[in-house]
Amino acid sequence: MKRRTGQDREITRHWRPATQAVRGGTARSEWGETSEALFLTSGYAYDCAADAAARFAGEQQGMTYSRLQNPTVEMLEERIALMEGAEACRTMATGMAAMTAAMLCQLQQGDHVVAGRAAFGSCRWLVDTLLPKFGIATTVVDARDPQAFEDARRPNTKVFFFETPANPTMDIVDLQAVCDIARANGITSVVDNAFATPALQRPMEYGADVVAYSATKMMDGQGRVLAGAVCGTAEWINTILLPFTRNTGPTLSAFNAWVVLKGLETLDLRIRRQSENALKVGKFLEARVPRILHPGLPSHPQHNLAMSQMSACGPIFAFEVAGGRPQAHGLLDALALVDISNNIGDSRSLMTHPASTTHYGVAEEKRIEMGVTENLLRLNVGLEDPADVIDDLDQALTTVGL
């Protein structure tokens, strides 16, 4: 039992989050390794044909195929579930695989979804383009106003889907208020928590039913692999989500799972330091640019709500320049330390122009509706000395006349 302490829920559920992030879900083999083992196998052997039949029938414990089970992947799923405060978790190949599976597994023709307008470009494509192709109606609302969800709700509404903080405009959603509306009407709330992670915000504590992640971001945190995760009750994960993923196969590789396991060990340290760095950088930029959207700053219109739901501001925020795409691109081109990259959650500082990258595939009128203008830039503040990041931004802003 000692070698499998990390998988004993009676023990691990009492651990504090930082301990769960390092040890939760760990299952040691007969070799007693301290670091989680990497199981690179597609299939499994059986002692006899009857054992194979029993496993497929669910009558015997054990693994059948790595599209369904893998020891390394299962350790990651258990660890994320513990950190989230969820009963269960299933991982996916990417964050968008997680978002897509979390939606499609529970929807069918004739259903209706209410979604927040501010979202990652691919999430908006999912809501605006993919779901309607299958006869699923969608309504997009300003998620900053909980009443908008109530007003958009229909008798056939099955899901509320939103991000908080939202990508890239940093809109904050009142988790308690929106999830209360969902619960009162038998609607499943699906929250994209990628910007905060369970280290800074746990939506299930506010009534969320399902929490989805791009684990590519802060959970890996070093720009190495792609991964996604979906958390919920054991019943929802096993009876609603699992049949969909079992048969469609958005499987996370064992290697990527192992890398994310290693990333989780330092998540709390990284995200808190990056939050501190982002606050310092944000205070500098606030005096230099026309508008800044940083939930950690009192100038953010939802600062108090953000800080009531999050234990720190996170490493990501947005700001605007005055000269449209030419000035935005000029600032990016003038950077010497900060990388031009559309990724986020990395230990390196990264900046992008969402209108021409992450939200390029969103129609212009919808981008404007979301607040993704040609003036907007998104910044991920990394683990560098924030003074060096500020110096780089200072010279770049000066170069473009700001």
Side-chain angles (χ1 to χ4, degrees):
M1 176 63 71
K2 184 177 181 181
R3 288 181 177 172
R4 297 185 61 82
T5 299
Q7 289 199 327
D8 188 337
R9 276 288 182 112
E10 288 305 308
I11 296 173
T12 57
R13 68 187 179 89
H14 297 295
W15 288 347
R16 292 167 180 81
T19 305
Q20 291 172 340
V22 175
R23 292 184 173 270
T26 300
R28 291 174 177 152
S29 74
E30 66 272 21
W31 302 107
E33 66 279 349
T34 54
S35 179
E36 297 83 2
L38 176 55
F39 289 89
L40 295 177
T41 182
S42 56
Y44 306 89
Y46 313 92
D47 291 335
C48 63
D51 284 351
R55 287 193 199 177
F56 272 83
E59 299 167 355
Q60 182 186 92
Q61 291 292 318
M63 301 194 174
T64 59
Y65 193 56
S66 277
R67 176 158 50 85
L68 304 175
Q69 313 102 353
N70 177 279
T72 308
V73 174
E74 284 197 350
M75 284 189 271
L76 175 61
E77 291 171 342
E78 177 65 11
R79 184 169 297 179
I80 293 175
L82 284 166
M83 295 173 66
E84 189 64 47
E87 291 180 356
C89 170
R90 292 290 294 188
T91 53
M92 311 286 166
T94 68
M96 280 313 303
M99 304 302 159
T100 304
M103 299 288 280
L104 287 183
C105 74
Q106 59 181 320
L107 294 169
Q108 62 184 0
Q109 184 178 9
D111 289 344
H112 175 243
V113 173
V114 181
R117 68 175 185 182
F120 176 52
S122 293
C123 288
R124 276 300 301 259
W125 181 88
L126 176 65
V127 170
D128 295 339
T129 303
L130 183 65
L131 295 183
K133 284 184 177 180
F134 293 96
I136 301 164
T138 61
T139 301
V140 175
V141 300
D142 185 343
R144 295 171 296 182
D145 178 12
Q147 186 63 38
F149 284 90
E150 177 66 51
D151 294 344
R153 179 178 59 83
R154 304 175 187 173
N156 61 331
T157 302
K158 295 297 189 295
V159 171
F160 286 171
F161 177 49
F162 58 91
E163 303 176 21
T164 185
N167 183 1
T169 56
M170 308 308 293
D171 288 4
I172 305 297
V173 180
D174 188 329
L175 283 164
Q176 189 72 62
V178 175
C179 292
D180 282 351
I181 295 169
R183 285 279 174 94
N185 293 282
I187 296 166
T188 301
S189 52
V190 178
V191 180
D192 178 349
N193 196 40
F195 270 31
T197 81
L200 299 185
Q201 175 175 270
R202 304 215 299 177
M204 287 185 175
E205 294 180 350
Y206 298 91
D209 297 304
V210 177
V211 181
Y213 287 100
S214 171
T216 308
K217 307 303 187 291
M218 288 302 308
M219 288 187 177
D220 169 27
Q222 289 152 85
R224 299 169 297 191
V225 298
L226 302 177
V230 181
C231 298
T233 64
E235 180 181 5
W236 190 88
I237 293 290
N238 293 323
T239 64
I240 305 298
L241 181 65
L242 181 56
F244 180 87
T245 59
R246 177 198 303 273
N247 293 294
T248 57
T251 309
L252 179 64
S253 75
F255 177 78
N256 286 13
W258 184 84
V259 172
V260 177
L261 277 166
K262 297 294 98 184
L264 288 177
E265 293 179 4
T266 61
L267 172 61
D268 190 75
L269 296 172
R270 287 184 287 103
I271 199 166
R272 293 187 188 281
R273 174 58 66 85
Q274 288 179 247
S275 293
E276 293 173 4
N277 291 352
L279 199 55
K280 293 176 181 177
V281 174
K283 288 177 179 177
F284 161 76
L285 280 171
E286 191 169 32
R288 291 289 295 275
V289 298
R291 184 173 181 232
I292 187 167
L293 300 167
H294 190 314
L297 294 174
S299 60
H300 191 287
Q302 297 171 289
H303 168 72
N304 291 336
L305 174 61
M307 294 300 95
S308 72
Q309 298 179 164
M310 302 170 67
S311 59
C313 63
I316 305 153
F317 64 90
F319 65 93
E320 292 182 348
V321 295
R325 182 178 296 200
Q327 191 173 50
H329 278 196
L331 192 152
L332 288 169
D333 291 342
L335 294 168
L337 171 66
V338 178
D339 287 318
I340 304 171
S341 177
N342 53 284
N343 195 25
I344 49 176
D346 201 303
S347 58
R348 300 161 185 81
S349 292
L350 312 171
M351 194 189 296
T352 195
H353 180 243
S356 58
T357 58
T358 59
H359 291 68
Y360 171 77
V362 179
E364 182 179 5
E365 65 273 14
K366 291 182 179 179
R367 287 203 305 268
I368 294 172
E369 172 199 25
M370 296 164 67
V372 182
T373 67
E374 293 290 344
N375 291 324
L376 190 74
L377 289 161
R378 188 192 65 197
L379 176 61
N380 171 90
V381 180
L383 289 170
E384 306 95 344
D385 189 308
D388 288 327
V389 177
I390 289 171
D391 286 346
D392 191 33
L393 290 169
D394 183 31
Q395 64 83 23
L397 289 164
T398 299
T399 299
V400 297
L402 288 171

